[in-house]
């Protein structure tokens, strides 16, 4: 048995003290051998002051008492007091292989000593080796990649590519979707919390969101997930009448809103992320792609949150829908926190950008390419796709038990390590849990050592999208923390 370090012993004692104070029945936080460095930065109060006076007020801060994060190691984060937290949000689904993964760190350090940056108008080996390794992992004819710096930038580029290739300006996205918040993409995003009252979205139309839980149609056989909605339906296993109804709504948009029935492109996330981990009815996306292509459109898969094995059963989220898009957009986990993103498409669609100059100063730079390549290696070497399938399924099943215990947990959904927990006032009405109650539970989970994300139009969905290295012991701890927080505040 491993000897527990002094730091771990102090932490466990702190947790036991907290349990005594609150009367908690929380499982013991799994041990961690990593020892963080002493914090030497500005005081907590000084950081709060700087954030208030020198940073944009639009910058969101999580929690009533925000954390001052100091260091990270794999699935763990440490605050300025070196208190440890289990990170279930991974920097908004961005840290894929683990905070400061030793192999990624080593590759980064080696490249930094060799060459930080040079224009990609010159050739350097990292970009070309990474492009080949990256596109080799993609199916079909998705063989041309453009490296950029963020998911928003990638979606911006994809919009232009779709319109240039098809010659049709009007495109379709889904309500409840999030594809970025740049002025160009604000129309592609269909969540009012992310939209300002400025002109945006010219030529973009939204179809009804095929949501089996909150939408008008849905039942207990809709989703590709261990967890189904608890809505009644008369569908037999293998069929989904709700999917048919939502497809009728998509056809309605094409019929009435597209110029002469033509479509420039159709955007969809494999699982909606910011919108609250919403899954579509099985086969919806495959049939939607068929309908869009029949009227001349290209199909774009937003893989910013669902790629790189996170869904467990497949490497790319779109593969879970048995489709191959014409354009795929990746970001976040691609660089494990380094600003890196990509647009992948076919040679035919890529040829459109040859009509004028197109250049990205930092996309595919030597450091980014080295990091992206190392991330691909670690996903395979550490078997993180397999871990996402095994630990993610276990997580969902444990949360389903908690859902059955608690009237305020209306739905558990997701696949692999992309999970949503929708909080409601009661299961019958599905009325969203009020913000103050949601905040009470959320704050409590943080105080007990687990960092959940939060999303959905009403802000009532806990988002579970951790580094893909978490363990079943981490799951047990997380579920016990959420159970305790719900019990205390509901």
């Amino acid at each position: 048995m491993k000897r527990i370090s002094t730091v771990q012993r102090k932490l466990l004692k702190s947790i036991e003290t907290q349990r005594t104070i609150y009367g908690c029945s929380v499982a013991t936080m799994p041990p961690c051998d990593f020892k963080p460095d002493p914090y030497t930065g500005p005081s907590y109060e000084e950081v709060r002051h700087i954030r208030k006076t020198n940073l944009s007020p639009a910058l969101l801060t999580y929690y009533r008492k925000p954390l001052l994060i100091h260091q990270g190691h794999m699935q763990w984060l440490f605050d300025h007091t070196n208190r440890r937290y289990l990170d279930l949000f991974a920097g908004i689904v961005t840290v894929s292989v683990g905070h400061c993964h030793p192999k990624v760190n080593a590759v980064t350090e080696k490249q930094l000593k060799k060459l930080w940056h040079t224009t990609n108008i010159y050739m350097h080996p990292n970009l070309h080796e990474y492009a080949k390794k990256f596109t080799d992992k993609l199916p079909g004819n998705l063989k041309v990649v453009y490296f950029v710096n963020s998911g928003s930038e990638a979606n911006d580029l994809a919009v232009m590519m779709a319109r240039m290739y098809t010659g049709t300006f009007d495109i379709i996205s889904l309500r409840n979707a999030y594809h970025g918040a740049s002025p160009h993409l604000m129309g592609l995003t269909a969540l009012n919390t992310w939209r300002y009252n400025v002109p945006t979205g010219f030529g973009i139309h939204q179809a009804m969101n095929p949501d089996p839980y909150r939408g008008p149609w849905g039942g207990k056989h809709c989703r590709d997930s261990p967890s189904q909605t608890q809505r009644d339906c008369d569908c037999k296993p293998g069929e989904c009448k709700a999917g048919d109804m939502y497809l009728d709504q998509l056809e309605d948009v094409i019929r009435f809103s597209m110029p002469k029935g033509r479509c420039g492109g159709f955007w969809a996330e494999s699982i909606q992320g910011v919108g609250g981990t919403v899954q579509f009815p099985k086969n919806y996306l495959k049939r939607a792609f068929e309908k869009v292509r029949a009227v001349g459109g290209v199909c774009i898969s937003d893989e910013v949150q669902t790629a790189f094995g996170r869904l467990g059963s497949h490497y790319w989220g779109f593969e879970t829908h048995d489709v191959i898009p014409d354009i795929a957009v990746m970001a976040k986990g691609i660089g494990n926190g380094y600003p890196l993103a990509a647009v992948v498409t076919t040679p035919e669609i890529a040829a459109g950008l040859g009509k004028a100059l197109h250049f990205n100063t930092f996309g595919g730079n030597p450091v980014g390419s080295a990091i992206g390549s190392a991330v691909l290696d670690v996903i395979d070497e550490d078997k993180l796709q397999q871990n996402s399938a095994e630990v993610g399924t276990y997580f969902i099943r444990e949360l389903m038990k908690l859902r059955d215990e608690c009237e305020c947990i209306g739905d558990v959904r997701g696949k692999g390590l992309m999970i949503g927990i929708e909080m409601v006032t009661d299961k019958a009405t599905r009325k969203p849990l009020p913000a103050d109650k949601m905040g009470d539970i959320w704050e409590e989970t943080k105080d007990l050592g687990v960092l959940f994300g939060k999303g959905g139009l009403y802000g009532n969905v806990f988002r579970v999208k951790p580094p893909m290295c978490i363990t079943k012991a981490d799951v047990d701890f997380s579920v016990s923390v959420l159970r305790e927080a719900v019990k205390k505040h509901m």
Side-chain angles (χ1 to χ4, degrees), residues 285-314:
L285 207 56
K286 184 173 185 177
R287 295 165 65 192
F289 276 23
E290 291 170 356
K291 291 181 183 299
V292 169
R293 285 171 173 153
V295 292
V298 294
C299 298
I300 299 90
S301 182
D302 186 328
E303 291 286 303
V304 169
Q305 298 190 27
T306 53
F308 305 103
R310 176 165 292 280
L311 302 190
S313 62
H314 297 80

Side-chain angles (χ1 to χ4, degrees), residues 219-293:
K220 55 192 175 185
H221 300 299
C222 285
R223 297 192 297 223
D224 175 22
S225 171
S227 179
Q228 300 292 336
T229 71
Q230 296 181 313
R231 298 174 72 175
D232 290 329
C233 71
D234 57 1
C235 295
K236 299 175 183 177
E239 70 176 19
C240 182
K241 296 176 182 177
D244 296 338
M245 304 295 283
Y246 289 118
L247 284 162
D248 287 344
Q249 293 298 308
L250 174 62
E251 283 190 322
D252 216 45
V253 173
I254 294 172
R255 184 181 303 116
F256 287 99
S257 301
M258 295 295 101
K260 296 184 178 179
R262 290 188 59 80
C263 176
F266 171 69
W267 258 256
E269 302 161 85
S270 296
I271 296 177
Q272 291 180 331
V274 175
T277 320
V278 173
Q279 291 181 277
F280 311 139
K282 287 175 283 189
N283 294 319
Y284 170 85
L285 207 56
K286 184 173 185 177
R287 295 165 65 192
F289 276 23
E290 291 170 356
K291 291 181 183 299
V292 169
R293 285 171 173 153

Side-chain angles (χ1 to χ4, degrees), residues 42-57:
S43 70
Y44 183 88
E45 292 73 20
E46 187 177 355
V47 170
R48 291 293 301 271
H49 177 72
I50 293 170
R51 193 175 182 94
K52 183 177 180 180
T53 57
N54 300 113
L55 290 172
S56 167

Side-chain angles (χ1 to χ4, degrees), residues 57-75:
L59 186 62
L60 180 70
T61 303
Y62 262 12
Y63 303 114
R64 294 164 184 164
K65 185 177 181 182
L67 292 173
L68 175 52
I69 298 298
H70 158 49
Q71 197 163 355
H73 172 73
M74 302 306 285
Q75 65 267 50

